[in-house]
Amino acid sequence: MSVIVQKVAQLLSAMIFVFAMYVITHGHIMPGGGFAGGVLLAGSFIVLVLAQGQGYLKLKQQRERTSLLESLSVLLILLLGFSGLFAGSMVFFGNYLPKGQPGELLSAGNIPIYSILIGIKVAATLFTIFLALTIYKEEASK
Amino acid sequence: MENPVLIFFIFLPFLAAFLIPLLNLFWDQGKTIVLFLVSFVLMLLALIIVINPPQSTQYIPGGWYPVDNIPVGIHLVGDGLSRFMLLIINSIAFLCAIYAIPYVKMFTGQKYFYTLFFLQLAGLNGVVLAGDMFNLFVFMEVTAKASYALVAFGVRKTEIEAAFKYQVMGGLATLFMLFGIAMLYWMTSTLNMADISVVLRNNHAENTNVIHFTQLFFLAGVAIKAAMIPFHAWLPDAHSSAPSPVSAMLSGVVIKVLGIYVILRLFINVFAPSEFLSMVIAVLGGVSMTAGVILAIGAWDLKRLLAYHSISQMGYVLMGIGIGMGVIAGGGSPTTVALTFTGALFHMINHAVFKGLLFLTAGSIEYSTDTLDLRKMGGLARYMPLTMVASFAASMAIAGIPPFNGFFSKFAIIVAAIQGGYHFRAALGLLVGILTLASFVKFQRYAFFGTPRPGVTLKHTPLLMKVSMVTMAVLCLIMSLFIFPEVRAVFLDPAVNTLLETTDYALKQI
C-alpha cells in the first residue's frame, strides 16, 4: 500500500478504537454494546494489518494472545455470573451491584461489566479468525 | 422456588471448556484432570437428581420474577423427562471422556478437543434444561457448532467433507427451526414453552391450519437433526468420520437430544398430540427403521454400518412415539400410552449405551489395526478378547437378544403397537429386528472370527479405553433390570409421567 493509505489507516485506526471504546462502555444506555463495540475494536486492528501488510504485527504471536484473551474473557463472564449465586438475590447472573440513576454512565449494576467483557471477547474472536485466515494464506503461498 | 443445582449442568462444562486453554499454558496434565473431574462430577449430579428429585423443577437466572401472572420468558426446567435425559447425556459423556483420554493422543491439538467436547456437553445439557424456545434454539446451535468442529477434528479430506455436509444440513435445520419459532412467537407473543402451550390451547384452538404449518416446520428441522430418512444424508458421513469417542457421543446422545427429545417436548408437551402428526411421525419412524437397516447390511465400513443402525434404531423410538401420540389422540387406553412411552424412552437410553459401546469398540479396533474396512479384518478375537466380548454384548443388545437390554425395550414397543391396534407396525418392528441381527452377525463374523490377516502388527489397547468399554458392556446387561417396577419407578416413570401429562404439563410450570 502507498504511504498515503498507510498514514490514513494509522490515523483512522485510532479513531475507530476510541469509538469502539465509547460504544462498549455505553452499552447499557445506548444502542450498541459489547458485540457491536467488539466488532469495531477488532476492525481497528484489522485496518492496520490490511494497510501495513502482514509484517507489521508479529501475527503468529498475536494469534496465541488473542485466543488466550478470548478464553479469559469468557471465563470472567462465567465467574461474574457465578458470583451472583453468593450475593444479592442469590441467583446465577444475579445483578447485585448498585443500580444507580438510569441514563448515567455508572448505572445498571453488573451489566456494564458484562458489556466490557463481551466486547473483549468479540474483538478477540474476530481478530483471531482474521489472523487465522491471513496466516493460512501466508503459509499456503509459501 | 429455586433449584440452583440445575445451573451447574450448564455452568460447569462451560467453565471447564474455557479453563482448559488457559490451564494448558503452564500445566500439561491439567486438561486431562479437568476432563475427568468435571465429567465425573456432572455424572454424579445427574444421578443424584434422578434418584432424589428436588422439590422445585424450575430455575430462573438473573433474579427475575413473574409479574401480573405473566411467566418469566427465559428459565430452566428440570422435570422428569429433562432429568432422565441429563442422566443419559452425562453418564455417556463421562464414559466417552475417559475413553478419549488415551484415544486423542493420536491427534495434534488435543486441547481443542477437550474444549470442544465440553462445549458440546454444555449445549446438550442446555437443550434438555431449556424451558423456553430461545434457550432451546441457542443451545441447539452451541451443540451443533461444537459437533461440526469435532467431526472435522482429524482434518483429513473425508472428515472435512463430512463436516461441511453436516454443517450445510444443520444450517438448513436451524433455518426451519427458527422459522417455526418465529411463527409461534407471532401467534402467542411469548417464548416460554409452558406459556405457549396455554396460549395455543386458549386462543388458537380453531387455527389448526396455521398450527399444522408451524408443526411441519419444526418437524422438518428436527428430522434433519435426528437424521430421519429422507433427511439422513449427513449422518453416515459425519458419524463415521469423527473420532470414535465423538462418534459415540454423536450417535449415542446428540441425535437423541437434538432430535427425539425436542420432538417429545414440542409435539407432546407444547402442542396437543394430533392424529395427523402422529401419523407423520410414525411413518417417518417406520421408513427410517426399515431403510436404515437395509442400508446397513450393505455397508463394509464398520463405522458407517453402525451409523446406519443409528438411523434404524432411532426409527424404532420415533415409531413408538408416533404410536403413543396416535393412541392419545384417538382416546385409547392410558396403559397402552404408558407402555409405548416407556418402551420408547427405555430404547433411547439402551441405544445410548449399546451404540456408544459399539462405536467405542470400533475405535478400539481402529486404534489397534488402523483400518475400519470389515474385509481387511479377521481373526481379531485372538488378539483383542476384551474388545470382542464388549462388542459381542453390544451386538446382541442392539439385535434384541435376551437377556440384554435391547430385547426388553423393543419388546415393549412391539407389544404396545399390537395393543394399540397397529399390527403392520408391530410386524415391521419384528422384521427389522431380524435384519439387525443379520447385519451384526456379519460384523462379528468378519471382524473377530475367521483367519487372521498375515503380517498384521497390532497396537495394545490402553487401560482407560478398556475400562470404559467394560463398564458399558456391564451396563448393557444391568439395564435389563429396568423391567422391574421398583427400578423403573426411579429411572423411567418420572419421565413417562411428564409425557403422559401432555399439555397439562404447562399448567404445572406456570
Side-chain angles (χ1 to χ4, degrees):
Chain A
M1 293 284 172
S2 70
V3 180
I4 302 173
V5 176
Q6 288 186 351
K7 209 70 208 166
V8 171
Q10 270 181 352
L11 292 172
L12 207 59
S13 161
M15 278 159 72
I16 297 175
F17 188 87
V18 173
F19 184 61
M21 289 297 163
Y22 175 78
V23 172
I24 291 174
T25 47
H26 288 67
H28 52 298
I29 49 176
M30 233 184 54
F35 192 90
V39 174
L40 285 169
L41 196 56
S44 73
F45 290 102
I46 292 173
V47 162
L48 267 187
V49 178
L50 283 180
Q52 308 280 348
Q54 293 162 359
Y56 187 66
L57 302 165
K58 291 192 181 71
L59 290 183
K60 278 191 182 158
Q61 229 173 22
Q62 300 293 344
R63 200 180 74 91
E64 290 287 305
R65 286 186 203 157
T66 49
S67 42
L68 273 186
L69 203 57
E70 206 186 327
S71 301
L72 193 66
S73 54
V74 181
L75 209 57
L76 287 176
I77 292 174
L78 281 170
L79 290 177
L80 191 60
F82 189 62
S83 70
L85 274 176
F86 303 102
S89 52
M90 308 286 221
V91 285
F92 195 70
F93 279 134
N95 191 352
Y96 54 84
L97 289 179
K99 306 285 187 299
Q101 264 323 77
E104 297 268 314
L105 183 57
L106 288 177
S107 62
N110 289 15
I111 294 174
I113 308 177
Y114 286 120
S115 254
I116 291 168
L117 289 173
I118 291 170
I120 297 172
K121 157 81 187 159
V122 171
T125 308
L126 277 180
F127 198 51
T128 311
I129 294 172
F130 174 76
L131 289 182
L133 291 175
T134 17
I135 291 170
Y136 174 73
K137 191 171 168 245
E138 196 181 348
E139 283 176 355
S141 63
K142 269 176 194 169
Chain B
M1 276 306 291
E2 300 298 342
N3 180 12
V5 72
L6 293 181
I7 198 74
F8 283 95
F9 285 104
I10 299 170
F11 172 70
L12 279 179
F14 269 129
L15 188 76
F18 292 105
L19 196 61
I20 284 165
L22 293 178
L23 213 55
N24 197 50
L25 280 183
F26 47 87
W27 189 22
D28 224 21
Q29 285 300 308
K31 52 184 187 295
T32 328
I33 292 167
V34 169
L35 178 79
F36 181 81
L37 277 184
V38 173
S39 52
F40 184 65
V41 167
L42 283 172
M43 186 190 67
L44 276 190
L45 274 181
L47 206 58
I48 287 169
I49 69 163
V50 165
I51 290 174
N52 185 14
Q55 285 292 312
S56 78
T57 56
Q58 285 197 34
Y59 185 76
I60 303 174
W64 302 95
Y65 46 86
V67 181
D68 296 340
N69 285 328
I70 300 170
V72 173
I74 287 177
H75 65 158
L76 305 179
V77 175
D79 56 13
L81 182 60
S82 299
R83 292 198 296 266
F84 176 73
M85 297 304 297
L86 280 179
L87 182 66
I88 299 184
I89 295 168
N90 291 296
S91 47
I92 301 294
F94 172 65
L95 291 169
C96 289
I98 57 174
Y99 182 92
I101 291 171
Y103 188 85
V104 289
K105 297 221 167 87
M106 304 202 307
F107 299 100
T108 51
Q110 290 170 36
K111 63 177 176 179
Y112 300 116
F113 178 88
Y114 292 101
T115 300
L116 288 168
F117 183 84
F118 275 118
L119 281 180
Q120 193 188 39
L121 186 56
L124 289 166
N125 284 341
V127 169
V128 296
L129 285 175
D132 58 276
M133 289 295 179
F134 176 79
N135 269 337
L136 184 80
F137 180 77
V138 169
F139 282 115
M140 275 177 89
E141 280 306 286
V142 171
T143 315
K145 294 288 183 291
S147 305
Y148 304 151
L150 281 171
V151 167
F153 196 74
V155 292
R156 276 179 307 210
K157 200 177 153 201
T158 50
E159 285 151 4
I160 290 175
E161 190 196 325
F164 183 72
K165 205 189 242 178
Y166 185 13
Q167 193 165 4
V168 170
M169 296 288 281
L172 206 61
T174 306
L175 193 68
F176 285 138
M177 286 292 290
L178 194 60
F179 197 86
I181 292 172
M183 290 288 290
L184 268 188
Y185 190 59
W186 165 66
M187 278 195 283
T188 62
S189 319
T190 175
L191 286 172
N192 185 319
M193 284 194 213
D195 205 19
I196 287 176
S197 172
V198 172
V199 174
L200 280 181
R201 185 149 57 157
N202 294 344
N203 305 354
H204 295 277
E206 292 85 47
N207 266 350
T208 44
N209 284 344
V210 184
I211 289 178
H212 281 169
F213 184 69
T214 315
Q215 281 175 332
L216 286 181
F217 267 102
F218 275 119
L219 193 64
V222 173
I224 294 177
K225 296 272 186 197
M228 292 293 104
I229 289 176
F231 302 98
H232 69 289
W234 60 271
L235 184 136
D237 287 345
H239 286 204
S240 59
S241 47
S244 283
V246 177
S247 301
M249 278 298 278
L250 285 173
S251 255
V253 183
V254 173
I255 55 171
K256 291 185 186 63
V257 172
L258 298 190
I260 309 293
Y261 169 80
V262 179
I263 286 183
L264 286 172
R265 188 57 97 203
L266 284 179
F267 296 124
I268 295 180
N269 286 151
V270 175
F271 298 107
S274 65
E275 196 87 47
F276 161 71
L277 207 70
S278 79
M279 190 69 194
V280 176
I281 288 182
V283 168
L284 264 183
V287 170
S288 311
M289 194 166 90
T290 324
V293 80
I294 290 171
L295 289 167
I297 287 183
W300 283 106
D301 182 307
L302 174 53
K303 278 169 90 173
R304 222 176 160 78
L305 182 144
L306 298 178
Y308 279 123
H309 273 293
S310 290
I311 300 177
S312 165
Q313 300 298 313
M314 281 304 98
Y316 264 106
V317 177
L318 212 59
M319 193 182 75
I321 295 165
I323 291 168
M325 285 169 67
V327 177
I328 291 179
S333 82
T335 48
T336 313
V337 183
L339 185 63
T340 40
F341 285 150
T342 310
L345 290 178
F346 190 16
H347 198 61
M348 196 148 81
I349 191 168
N350 287 345
H351 181 259
V353 173
F354 57 62
K355 187 49 68 63
L357 176 53
L358 281 168
F359 270 114
L360 295 189
T361 52
S364 167
I365 292 172
E366 191 189 12
Y367 187 91
S368 298
T369 63
D370 275 330
T371 179
L372 278 172
D373 192 337
L374 282 173
R375 282 167 296 196
K376 289 183 187 156
M377 296 172 193
L380 292 177
R382 195 177 306 168
Y383 306 105
M384 322 173 69
L386 212 136
T387 308
M388 184 235 155
V389 171
S391 104
F392 184 75
S395 299
M396 291 303 106
I398 194 174
I401 305 293
F404 291 99
N405 54 7
F407 167 73
F408 299 102
S409 50
K410 282 189 185 178
F411 191 61
I413 293 175
I414 291 168
V415 168
I418 294 171
Q419 277 186 12
Y422 299 101
H423 298 289
F424 178 68
R425 292 175 197 177
L428 203 63
L430 283 174
L431 177 73
V432 172
I434 294 165
L435 291 177
T436 310
L437 182 60
S439 81
F440 277 96
V441 168
K442 169 183 154 187
F443 160 45
Q444 293 290 328
R445 157 73 184 75
Y446 277 94
F448 295 109
F449 300 102
T451 48
R453 301 251 139 202
V456 258
T457 47
L458 292 168
K459 262 196 284 179
H460 192 66
T461 315
L463 177 70
L464 278 175
M465 281 161 72
K466 284 182 182 165
V467 168
S468 169
M469 287 192 292
V470 170
T471 317
M472 278 192 167
V474 172
L475 274 179
C476 275
L477 267 178
I478 286 182
M479 274 172 31
S480 302
L481 293 178
F482 276 27
I483 52 168
F484 292 110
E486 292 82 10
V487 186
R488 212 167 56 212
V490 176
F491 290 98
L492 279 171
D493 285 354
V496 174
N497 289 337
T498 311
L499 293 176
L500 286 180
E501 285 168 10
T502 64
T503 46
D504 292 337
Y505 141 90
L507 302 176
K508 270 195 186 171
Q509 297 296 332
I510 289 180

